[in-house]
Amino acid sequence: MKLYHSPASPYVRKVCVLLHELNRTDAVELKTVTTTVMASDDGLKAANPLARLPSLERPEGTTLYDSRVITAYLNDLYGGGLYPQGGARWDTLTLEATGDGMMDSAVSMAYEVRLRPEERQSTDWLEAQWSKITRALAALNARWMSHLSGPVTMGHVSVGCALGYLDFRHGPRNWRHGNDALAAWFAEFESRASMQATRPPADA
């Protein structure tokens, strides 16, 4: 299988963390591409009509895209336990959606700053996106710590990758302020081998 990859993408990082957690990194070739919303890689467009990362090409069958589709597929394929069954499944999926939603807003903010000329950037847009992130952070810190303290699921991975991306692209906003429990959890989670192996390079 071939995974279209960018080291800066938190969505790609989710997939790579999963592969490390399952000890299956050798099962997927990383195809690193340079692509933005303004200029899509031709190979990626051929694999995924939306030209979005990550996309997983399989020797047989359709190319899979959207990180949640890919992680669910790989988890099932390799018998992972990162999507538990029963009532815990819905908590896991909701937690994963929370992490993914934080990524959506954080990536949108990064695009606004990195791709638009300064005179066309919208402060209102940036602050609206950041307010979504701060609400999610507060909810995680207040209501989700018991779940995050349990066995690792894709919810943990998504939240961890989202927080890592906030450090990577929005460090000066200091998401840890007022979120002490979440910050302490992330300090431990970030030390996992899977997270260390997938950290984006500083120049990405």
Side-chain angles (χ1 to χ4, degrees):
M1 293 181 286
K2 179 165 64 177
L3 180 71
Y4 286 86
H5 168 274
S6 166
S9 168
Y11 309 103
V12 171
R13 190 180 187 189
K14 272 182 61 184
V15 177
C16 292
V17 169
L18 171 71
L19 289 168
H20 279 275
E21 291 287 337
L22 299 179
N23 294 314
R24 292 289 184 171
T25 56
D26 59 343
V28 175
E29 172 194 354
L30 299 183
K31 172 64 174 176
T32 301
V33 297
T34 301
T35 189
T36 72
V37 293
M38 306 296 289
S40 300
D41 176 83
D42 288 339
L44 180 59
K45 286 190 288 188
N48 174 354
L50 300 174
R52 291 178 180 170
L53 296 172
S55 296
L56 182 69
E57 277 190 350
R58 300 179 293 167
E60 299 178 0
T62 58
T63 296
L64 303 181
Y65 43 87
D66 187 280
S67 64
R68 277 177 276 190
V69 174
I70 296 171
T71 54
Y73 169 76
L74 292 172
N75 183 74
D76 285 358
L77 180 65
Y78 296 121
L82 276 76
Y83 287 99
Q85 298 304 306
R89 179 177 181 83
W90 304 114
D91 284 346
T92 295
L93 291 173
T94 300
L95 192 57
E96 183 180 15
T98 302
D100 285 8
M102 292 168 64
M103 293 181 208
D104 291 345
S105 289
V107 169
S108 176
M109 291 172 66
Y111 283 159
E112 183 74 10
V113 173
R114 294 166 63 86
L115 298 181
R116 284 183 184 272
E118 185 173 359
E119 67 274 10
R120 295 180 59 193
Q121 293 172 18
S122 170
T123 300
D124 289 344
W125 172 263
L126 291 169
E127 295 310 313
Q129 297 306 311
W130 185 250
S131 69
K132 296 179 183 181
I133 294 170
T134 57
R135 290 196 300 271
L137 291 168
L140 291 167
N141 191 72
R143 300 200 295 269
W144 284 94
M145 295 314 303
S146 61
H147 186 96
L148 287 170
S149 298
V152 172
T153 68
M154 275 310 299
H156 294 69
V157 173
S158 178
V159 169
C161 290
L163 298 178
Y165 189 77
L166 295 183
D167 282 343
F168 178 53
R169 290 294 192 216
H170 306 294
R173 287 183 177 263
N174 189 18
W175 66 264
R176 290 171 177 79
H177 179 70
N179 298 300
D180 294 348
L182 184 61
W185 171 82
F186 181 63
E188 182 176 352
F189 189 79
E190 190 182 30
S191 70
R192 295 178 72 87
S194 60
M195 291 291 286
Q196 291 295 307
T198 57
R199 292 185 68 173
D203 59 352

